[in-house]
PDB file of all heavy atoms in Angstrom:
ATOM      1  N   ASN P   1      11.925  -3.863 -10.688  1.00 76.00           N
ATOM      2  CA  ASN P   1      12.762  -4.884 -11.295  1.00 76.00           C
ATOM      3  C   ASN P   1      13.480  -4.286 -12.478  1.00 76.00           C
ATOM      4  O   ASN P   1      12.864  -4.075 -13.517  1.00 76.00           O
ATOM      5  CB  ASN P   1      11.938  -6.065 -11.709  1.00 76.00           C
ATOM      6  CG  ASN P   1      12.787  -7.250 -12.188  1.00 76.00           C
ATOM      7  OD1 ASN P   1      14.034  -7.135 -12.281  1.00 76.00           O
ATOM      8  ND2 ASN P   1      12.150  -8.380 -12.495  1.00 76.00           N
ATOM      9  N   PRO P   2      14.740  -3.928 -12.327  1.00 69.00           N
ATOM     10  CA  PRO P   2      15.475  -3.235 -13.437  1.00 69.00           C
ATOM     11  C   PRO P   2      15.587  -4.065 -14.701  1.00 69.00           C
ATOM     12  O   PRO P   2      15.834  -3.522 -15.786  1.00 69.00           O
ATOM     13  CB  PRO P   2      16.884  -2.987 -12.834  1.00 69.00           C
ATOM     14  CG  PRO P   2      16.703  -3.059 -11.351  1.00 69.00           C
ATOM     15  CD  PRO P   2      15.615  -4.051 -11.165  1.00 69.00           C
ATOM     16  N   GLU P   3      15.392  -5.396 -14.600  1.00 68.00           N
ATOM     17  CA  GLU P   3      15.538  -6.240 -15.788  1.00 68.00           C
ATOM     18  C   GLU P   3      14.252  -6.244 -16.655  1.00 68.00           C
ATOM     19  O   GLU P   3      14.304  -6.626 -17.824  1.00 68.00           O
ATOM     20  CB  GLU P   3      15.842  -7.700 -15.360  1.00 68.00           C
ATOM     21  CG  GLU P   3      17.128  -7.825 -14.552  1.00 68.00           C
ATOM     22  CD  GLU P   3      18.347  -7.379 -15.393  1.00 68.00           C
ATOM     23  OE1 GLU P   3      18.363  -7.677 -16.610  1.00 68.00           O
ATOM     24  OE2 GLU P   3      19.287  -6.805 -14.797  1.00 68.00           O
ATOM     25  N   GLU P   4      13.140  -5.858 -16.080  1.00 67.00           N
ATOM     26  CA  GLU P   4      11.871  -5.886 -16.790  1.00 67.00           C
ATOM     27  C   GLU P   4      11.319  -4.461 -16.901  1.00 67.00           C
ATOM     28  O   GLU P   4      10.657  -3.959 -15.986  1.00 67.00           O
ATOM     29  CB  GLU P   4      10.858  -6.793 -16.133  1.00 67.00           C
ATOM     30  CG  GLU P   4      11.312  -8.218 -16.039  1.00 67.00           C
ATOM     31  CD  GLU P   4      10.314  -9.102 -15.303  1.00 67.00           C
ATOM     32  OE1 GLU P   4       9.237  -8.579 -14.888  1.00 67.00           O
ATOM     33  OE2 GLU P   4      10.585 -10.298 -15.131  1.00 67.00           O
ATOM     34  N   THR P   5      11.603  -3.816 -18.038  1.00 71.00           N
ATOM     35  CA  THR P   5      11.251  -2.411 -18.140  1.00 71.00           C
ATOM     36  C   THR P   5      10.356  -2.135 -19.382  1.00 71.00           C
ATOM     37  O   THR P   5      10.077  -0.964 -19.686  1.00 71.00           O
ATOM     38  CB  THR P   5      12.541  -1.543 -18.321  1.00 71.00           C
ATOM     39  OG1 THR P   5      13.248  -1.971 -19.479  1.00 71.00           O
ATOM     40  CG2 THR P   5      13.402  -1.681 -17.095  1.00 71.00           C
ATOM     41  N   ALA P   6       9.906  -3.180 -20.084  1.00 73.00           N
ATOM     42  CA  ALA P   6       9.107  -2.980 -21.311  1.00 73.00           C
ATOM     43  C   ALA P   6       7.812  -2.200 -21.023  1.00 73.00           C
ATOM     44  O   ALA P   6       7.506  -1.261 -21.700  1.00 73.00           O
ATOM     45  CB  ALA P   6       8.837  -4.280 -21.970  1.00 73.00           C
ATOM     46  N   GLU P   7       7.123  -2.633 -19.980  1.00 80.00           N
ATOM     47  CA  GLU P   7       5.858  -1.958 -19.672  1.00 80.00           C
ATOM     48  C   GLU P   7       6.091  -0.539 -19.182  1.00 80.00           C
ATOM     49  O   GLU P   7       5.336   0.351 -19.551  1.00 80.00           O
ATOM     50  CB  GLU P   7       5.090  -2.755 -18.569  1.00 80.00           C
ATOM     51  CG  GLU P   7       4.589  -4.129 -19.019  1.00 80.00           C
ATOM     52  CD  GLU P   7       3.911  -4.861 -17.940  1.00 80.00           C
ATOM     53  OE1 GLU P   7       3.790  -4.344 -16.789  1.00 80.00           O
ATOM     54  OE2 GLU P   7       3.397  -5.994 -18.189  1.00 80.00           O
ATOM     55  N   GLU P   8       7.161  -0.332 -18.430  1.00 83.00           N
ATOM     56  CA  GLU P   8       7.478   1.018 -17.930  1.00 83.00           C
ATOM     57  C   GLU P   8       7.818   1.948 -19.068  1.00 83.00           C
ATOM     58  O   GLU P   8       7.364   3.086 -19.118  1.00 83.00           O
ATOM     59  CB  GLU P   8       8.646   0.948 -16.918  1.00 83.00           C
ATOM     60  CG  GLU P   8       8.310   0.094 -15.697  1.00 83.00           C
ATOM     61  CD  GLU P   8       9.529  -0.188 -14.860  1.00 83.00           C
ATOM     62  OE1 GLU P   8      10.611   0.371 -15.155  1.00 83.00           O
ATOM     63  OE2 GLU P   8       9.428  -0.979 -13.897  1.00 83.00           O
ATOM     64  N   GLU P   9       8.637   1.445 -20.000  1.00 81.00           N
ATOM     65  CA  GLU P   9       9.015   2.281 -21.129  1.00 81.00           C
ATOM     66  C   GLU P   9       7.814   2.598 -22.015  1.00 81.00           C
ATOM     67  O   GLU P   9       7.689   3.720 -22.528  1.00 81.00           O
ATOM     68  CB  GLU P   9      10.112   1.570 -21.952  1.00 81.00           C
ATOM     69  CG  GLU P   9      11.425   1.463 -21.188  1.00 81.00           C
ATOM     70  CD  GLU P   9      12.371   0.463 -21.815  1.00 81.00           C
ATOM     71  OE1 GLU P   9      11.987  -0.204 -22.793  1.00 81.00           O
ATOM     72  OE2 GLU P   9      13.507   0.344 -21.338  1.00 81.00           O
ATOM     73  N   SER P  10       6.940   1.631 -22.190  1.00 82.00           N
ATOM     74  CA  SER P  10       5.729   1.888 -22.981  1.00 82.00           C
ATOM     75  C   SER P  10       4.824   2.946 -22.308  1.00 82.00           C
ATOM     76  O   SER P  10       4.306   3.785 -23.009  1.00 82.00           O
ATOM     77  CB  SER P  10       4.945   0.564 -23.162  1.00 82.00           C
ATOM     78  OG  SER P  10       5.726  -0.379 -23.834  1.00 82.00           O
ATOM     79  N   TRP P  11       4.699   2.856 -21.005  1.00 87.00           N
ATOM     80  CA  TRP P  11       3.864   3.844 -20.300  1.00 87.00           C
ATOM     81  C   TRP P  11       4.526   5.198 -20.314  1.00 87.00           C
ATOM     82  O   TRP P  11       3.843   6.229 -20.444  1.00 87.00           O
ATOM     83  CB  TRP P  11       3.604   3.387 -18.888  1.00 87.00           C
ATOM     84  CG  TRP P  11       2.772   4.353 -18.146  1.00 87.00           C
ATOM     85  CD1 TRP P  11       3.080   5.104 -17.022  1.00 87.00           C
ATOM     86  CD2 TRP P  11       1.414   4.719 -18.455  1.00 87.00           C
ATOM     87  NE1 TRP P  11       2.033   5.889 -16.611  1.00 87.00           N
ATOM     88  CE2 TRP P  11       0.983   5.686 -17.491  1.00 87.00           C
ATOM     89  CE3 TRP P  11       0.533   4.387 -19.453  1.00 87.00           C
ATOM     90  CZ2 TRP P  11      -0.276   6.255 -17.524  1.00 87.00           C
ATOM     91  CZ3 TRP P  11      -0.734   4.906 -19.509  1.00 87.00           C
ATOM     92  CH2 TRP P  11      -1.124   5.860 -18.523  1.00 87.00           C
ATOM     93  N   ASP P  12       5.869   5.251 -20.227  1.00 86.00           N
ATOM     94  CA  ASP P  12       6.554   6.552 -20.312  1.00 86.00           C
ATOM     95  C   ASP P  12       6.314   7.168 -21.735  1.00 86.00           C
ATOM     96  O   ASP P  12       6.173   8.392 -21.841  1.00 86.00           O
ATOM     97  CB  ASP P  12       8.034   6.351 -20.081  1.00 86.00           C
ATOM     98  CG  ASP P  12       8.377   6.336 -18.611  1.00 86.00           C
ATOM     99  OD1 ASP P  12       7.824   7.112 -17.835  1.00 86.00           O
ATOM    100  OD2 ASP P  12       9.220   5.497 -18.211  1.00 86.00           O
ATOM    101  N   TYR P  13       6.298   6.313 -22.712  1.00 83.00           N
ATOM    102  CA  TYR P  13       6.066   6.819 -24.085  1.00 83.00           C
ATOM    103  C   TYR P  13       4.603   7.389 -24.192  1.00 83.00           C
ATOM    104  O   TYR P  13       4.432   8.409 -24.835  1.00 83.00           O
ATOM    105  CB  TYR P  13       6.279   5.649 -25.083  1.00 83.00           C
ATOM    106  CG  TYR P  13       6.124   6.079 -26.517  1.00 83.00           C
ATOM    107  CD1 TYR P  13       7.182   6.777 -27.148  1.00 83.00           C
ATOM    108  CD2 TYR P  13       5.004   5.785 -27.276  1.00 83.00           C
ATOM    109  CE1 TYR P  13       7.111   7.151 -28.462  1.00 83.00           C
ATOM    110  CE2 TYR P  13       4.920   6.184 -28.592  1.00 83.00           C
ATOM    111  CZ  TYR P  13       5.947   6.850 -29.205  1.00 83.00           C
ATOM    112  OH  TYR P  13       5.863   7.238 -30.509  1.00 83.00           O
ATOM    113  N   VAL P  14       3.668   6.712 -23.563  1.00 87.00           N
ATOM    114  CA  VAL P  14       2.281   7.203 -23.578  1.00 87.00           C
ATOM    115  C   VAL P  14       2.209   8.590 -22.870  1.00 87.00           C
ATOM    116  O   VAL P  14       1.570   9.520 -23.375  1.00 87.00           O
ATOM    117  CB  VAL P  14       1.338   6.200 -22.874  1.00 87.00           C
ATOM    118  CG1 VAL P  14      -0.060   6.802 -22.664  1.00 87.00           C
ATOM    119  CG2 VAL P  14       1.236   4.952 -23.698  1.00 87.00           C
ATOM    120  N   GLN P  15       2.859   8.680 -21.739  1.00 88.00           N
ATOM    121  CA  GLN P  15       2.864   9.963 -20.959  1.00 88.00           C
ATOM    122  C   GLN P  15       3.483  11.068 -21.783  1.00 88.00           C
ATOM    123  O   GLN P  15       2.984  12.216 -21.811  1.00 88.00           O
ATOM    124  CB  GLN P  15       3.594   9.819 -19.628  1.00 88.00           C
ATOM    125  CG  GLN P  15       2.848   8.970 -18.641  1.00 88.00           C
ATOM    126  CD  GLN P  15       3.484   8.999 -17.254  1.00 88.00           C
ATOM    127  OE1 GLN P  15       2.816   8.975 -16.244  1.00 88.00           O
ATOM    128  NE2 GLN P  15       4.810   9.026 -17.171  1.00 88.00           N
ATOM    129  N   PHE P  16       4.606  10.734 -22.466  1.00 85.00           N
ATOM    130  CA  PHE P  16       5.261  11.747 -23.263  1.00 85.00           C
ATOM    131  C   PHE P  16       4.430  12.211 -24.424  1.00 85.00           C
ATOM    132  O   PHE P  16       4.354  13.406 -24.735  1.00 85.00           O
ATOM    133  CB  PHE P  16       6.608  11.178 -23.737  1.00 85.00           C
ATOM    134  CG  PHE P  16       7.419  12.147 -24.508  1.00 85.00           C
ATOM    135  CD1 PHE P  16       8.272  13.027 -23.902  1.00 85.00           C
ATOM    136  CD2 PHE P  16       7.354  12.158 -25.924  1.00 85.00           C
ATOM    137  CE1 PHE P  16       9.067  13.932 -24.641  1.00 85.00           C
ATOM    138  CE2 PHE P  16       8.135  13.062 -26.649  1.00 85.00           C
ATOM    139  CZ  PHE P  16       8.964  13.931 -26.039  1.00 85.00           C
ATOM    140  N   GLN P  17       3.762  11.252 -25.109  1.00 85.00           N
ATOM    141  CA  GLN P  17       3.026  11.594 -26.326  1.00 85.00           C
ATOM    142  C   GLN P  17       1.709  12.329 -25.987  1.00 85.00           C
ATOM    143  O   GLN P  17       1.326  13.250 -26.667  1.00 85.00           O
ATOM    144  CB  GLN P  17       2.714  10.324 -27.122  1.00 85.00           C
ATOM    145  CG  GLN P  17       3.925   9.714 -27.800  1.00 85.00           C
ATOM    146  CD  GLN P  17       4.574  10.609 -28.827  1.00 85.00           C
ATOM    147  OE1 GLN P  17       3.866  11.369 -29.531  1.00 85.00           O
ATOM    148  NE2 GLN P  17       5.874  10.552 -28.975  1.00 85.00           N
ATOM    149  N   LEU P  18       1.050  11.856 -24.922  1.00 89.00           N
ATOM    150  CA  LEU P  18      -0.238  12.495 -24.540  1.00 89.00           C
ATOM    151  C   LEU P  18      -0.061  13.678 -23.604  1.00 89.00           C
ATOM    152  O   LEU P  18      -1.072  14.353 -23.296  1.00 89.00           O
ATOM    153  CB  LEU P  18      -1.136  11.441 -23.895  1.00 89.00           C
ATOM    154  CG  LEU P  18      -1.635  10.278 -24.740  1.00 89.00           C
ATOM    155  CD1 LEU P  18      -2.524   9.343 -23.887  1.00 89.00           C
ATOM    156  CD2 LEU P  18      -2.404  10.766 -25.943  1.00 89.00           C
ATOM    157  N   ARG P  19       1.147  13.962 -23.225  1.00 90.00           N
ATOM    158  CA  ARG P  19       1.422  15.082 -22.292  1.00 90.00           C
ATOM    159  C   ARG P  19       0.614  14.999 -21.021  1.00 90.00           C
ATOM    160  O   ARG P  19      -0.162  15.910 -20.686  1.00 90.00           O
ATOM    161  CB  ARG P  19       1.241  16.406 -23.058  1.00 90.00           C
ATOM    162  CG  ARG P  19       2.127  16.601 -24.207  1.00 90.00           C
ATOM    163  CD  ARG P  19       1.917  17.933 -24.931  1.00 90.00           C
ATOM    164  NE  ARG P  19       2.837  18.076 -26.059  1.00 90.00           N
ATOM    165  CZ  ARG P  19       4.092  18.505 -25.965  1.00 90.00           C
ATOM    166  NH1 ARG P  19       4.581  18.846 -24.799  1.00 90.00           N
ATOM    167  NH2 ARG P  19       4.877  18.584 -27.030  1.00 90.00           N
ATOM    168  N   CYS P  20       0.758  13.861 -20.375  1.00 91.00           N
ATOM    169  CA  CYS P  20       0.005  13.622 -19.136  1.00 91.00           C
ATOM    170  C   CYS P  20       0.918  12.944 -18.125  1.00 91.00           C
ATOM    171  O   CYS P  20       2.080  12.616 -18.455  1.00 91.00           O
ATOM    172  CB  CYS P  20      -1.196  12.733 -19.412  1.00 91.00           C
ATOM    173  SG  CYS P  20      -0.772  11.155 -20.199  1.00 91.00           S
ATOM    174  N   CYS P  21       0.443  12.790 -16.916  1.00 91.00           N
ATOM    175  CA  CYS P  21       1.246  12.209 -15.861  1.00 91.00           C
ATOM    176  C   CYS P  21       0.396  11.377 -14.940  1.00 91.00           C
ATOM    177  O   CYS P  21      -0.590  11.873 -14.352  1.00 91.00           O
ATOM    178  CB  CYS P  21       1.966  13.315 -15.088  1.00 91.00           C
ATOM    179  SG  CYS P  21       3.159  12.753 -13.850  1.00 91.00           S
ATOM    180  N   GLY P  22       0.732  10.092 -14.791  1.00 90.00           N
ATOM    181  CA  GLY P  22      -0.066   9.187 -13.976  1.00 90.00           C
ATOM    182  C   GLY P  22      -1.351   8.815 -14.694  1.00 90.00           C
ATOM    183  O   GLY P  22      -1.654   9.223 -15.808  1.00 90.00           O
ATOM    184  N   TRP P  23      -2.176   7.983 -14.008  1.00 92.00           N
ATOM    185  CA  TRP P  23      -3.451   7.604 -14.592  1.00 92.00           C
ATOM    186  C   TRP P  23      -4.538   8.621 -14.296  1.00 92.00           C
ATOM    187  O   TRP P  23      -5.164   9.182 -15.190  1.00 92.00           O
ATOM    188  CB  TRP P  23      -3.875   6.239 -14.076  1.00 92.00           C
ATOM    189  CG  TRP P  23      -5.218   5.790 -14.591  1.00 92.00           C
ATOM    190  CD1 TRP P  23      -6.385   5.688 -13.910  1.00 92.00           C
ATOM    191  CD2 TRP P  23      -5.505   5.376 -15.948  1.00 92.00           C
ATOM    192  NE1 TRP P  23      -7.404   5.268 -14.706  1.00 92.00           N
ATOM    193  CE2 TRP P  23      -6.898   5.037 -15.987  1.00 92.00           C
ATOM    194  CE3 TRP P  23      -4.752   5.251 -17.092  1.00 92.00           C
ATOM    195  CZ2 TRP P  23      -7.559   4.615 -17.139  1.00 92.00           C
ATOM    196  CZ3 TRP P  23      -5.398   4.808 -18.264  1.00 92.00           C
ATOM    197  CH2 TRP P  23      -6.760   4.491 -18.257  1.00 92.00           C
ATOM    198  N   ASN P  24      -4.674   8.950 -12.979  1.00 91.00           N
ATOM    199  CA  ASN P  24      -5.665   9.957 -12.600  1.00 91.00           C
ATOM    200  C   ASN P  24      -5.046  11.348 -12.500  1.00 91.00           C
ATOM    201  O   ASN P  24      -5.667  12.332 -12.940  1.00 91.00           O
ATOM    202  CB  ASN P  24      -6.287   9.586 -11.254  1.00 91.00           C
ATOM    203  CG  ASN P  24      -7.064   8.259 -11.285  1.00 91.00           C
ATOM    204  OD1 ASN P  24      -7.961   8.085 -12.134  1.00 91.00           O
ATOM    205  ND2 ASN P  24      -6.729   7.339 -10.451  1.00 91.00           N
ATOM    206  N   SER P  25      -3.814  11.391 -11.988  1.00 89.00           N
ATOM    207  CA  SER P  25      -3.141  12.672 -11.853  1.00 89.00           C
ATOM    208  C   SER P  25      -1.701  12.378 -11.436  1.00 89.00           C
ATOM    209  O   SER P  25      -1.334  11.209 -11.169  1.00 89.00           O
ATOM    210  CB  SER P  25      -3.771  13.492 -10.708  1.00 89.00           C
ATOM    211  OG  SER P  25      -3.530  12.936  -9.442  1.00 89.00           O
ATOM    212  N   PRO P  26      -0.787  13.386 -11.378  1.00 87.00           N
ATOM    213  CA  PRO P  26       0.591  13.153 -10.979  1.00 87.00           C
ATOM    214  C   PRO P  26       0.725  12.577  -9.569  1.00 87.00           C
ATOM    215  O   PRO P  26       1.742  12.005  -9.198  1.00 87.00           O
ATOM    216  CB  PRO P  26       1.241  14.518 -11.075  1.00 87.00           C
ATOM    217  CG  PRO P  26       0.406  15.275 -12.091  1.00 87.00           C
ATOM    218  CD  PRO P  26      -0.982  14.790 -11.897  1.00 87.00           C
ATOM    219  N   GLN P  27      -0.365  12.726  -8.749  1.00 87.00           N
ATOM    220  CA  GLN P  27      -0.304  12.229  -7.406  1.00 87.00           C
ATOM    221  C   GLN P  27      -0.185  10.691  -7.345  1.00 87.00           C
ATOM    222  O   GLN P  27       0.262  10.101  -6.332  1.00 87.00           O
ATOM    223  CB  GLN P  27      -1.636  12.616  -6.642  1.00 87.00           C
ATOM    224  CG  GLN P  27      -1.862  14.125  -6.549  1.00 87.00           C
ATOM    225  CD  GLN P  27      -0.813  14.791  -5.713  1.00 87.00           C
ATOM    226  OE1 GLN P  27      -0.396  14.265  -4.685  1.00 87.00           O
ATOM    227  NE2 GLN P  27      -0.388  15.974  -6.135  1.00 87.00           N
ATOM    228  N   ASP P  28      -0.531  10.018  -8.466  1.00 88.00           N
ATOM    229  CA  ASP P  28      -0.403   8.557  -8.499  1.00 88.00           C
ATOM    230  C   ASP P  28       1.047   8.118  -8.279  1.00 88.00           C
ATOM    231  O   ASP P  28       1.296   7.015  -7.780  1.00 88.00           O
ATOM    232  CB  ASP P  28      -0.869   8.059  -9.849  1.00 88.00           C
ATOM    233  CG  ASP P  28      -2.326   8.223 -10.060  1.00 88.00           C
ATOM    234  OD1 ASP P  28      -3.071   8.411  -9.060  1.00 88.00           O
ATOM    235  OD2 ASP P  28      -2.824   8.157 -11.218  1.00 88.00           O
ATOM    236  N   TRP P  29       2.020   8.934  -8.678  1.00 87.00           N
ATOM    237  CA  TRP P  29       3.443   8.605  -8.532  1.00 87.00           C
ATOM    238  C   TRP P  29       3.986   8.833  -7.148  1.00 87.00           C
ATOM    239  O   TRP P  29       5.035   8.293  -6.801  1.00 87.00           O
ATOM    240  CB  TRP P  29       4.285   9.408  -9.542  1.00 87.00           C
ATOM    241  CG  TRP P  29       4.048   9.057 -10.964  1.00 87.00           C
ATOM    242  CD1 TRP P  29       3.309   9.709 -11.904  1.00 87.00           C
ATOM    243  CD2 TRP P  29       4.561   7.884 -11.620  1.00 87.00           C
ATOM    244  NE1 TRP P  29       3.301   9.079 -13.085  1.00 87.00           N
ATOM    245  CE2 TRP P  29       4.081   7.936 -12.964  1.00 87.00           C
ATOM    246  CE3 TRP P  29       5.357   6.821 -11.265  1.00 87.00           C
ATOM    247  CZ2 TRP P  29       4.389   6.981 -13.927  1.00 87.00           C
ATOM    248  CZ3 TRP P  29       5.694   5.841 -12.216  1.00 87.00           C
ATOM    249  CH2 TRP P  29       5.174   5.921 -13.512  1.00 87.00           C
TER     250      TRP P  29
END
């Protein structure tokens, strides 16, 4: 849903700051 991106942007910020990808691994994506 392109209109609702708050959670996505927050999670992208977490990934960027913690230098990680996905919850368990990049395979999650």
Side-chain angles (χ1 to χ4, degrees):
N1 188 355
E3 300 298 323
E4 298 178 2
T5 61
E7 293 180 359
E8 298 169 7
E9 291 166 356
S10 300
W11 180 243
D12 278 320
Y13 186 76
V14 170
Q15 289 189 144
F16 182 85
Q17 290 296 326
L18 294 180
R19 298 181 179 275
C20 56
C21 187
W23 178 252
N24 298 306
S25 70
Q27 301 295 320
D28 293 342
W29 291 102

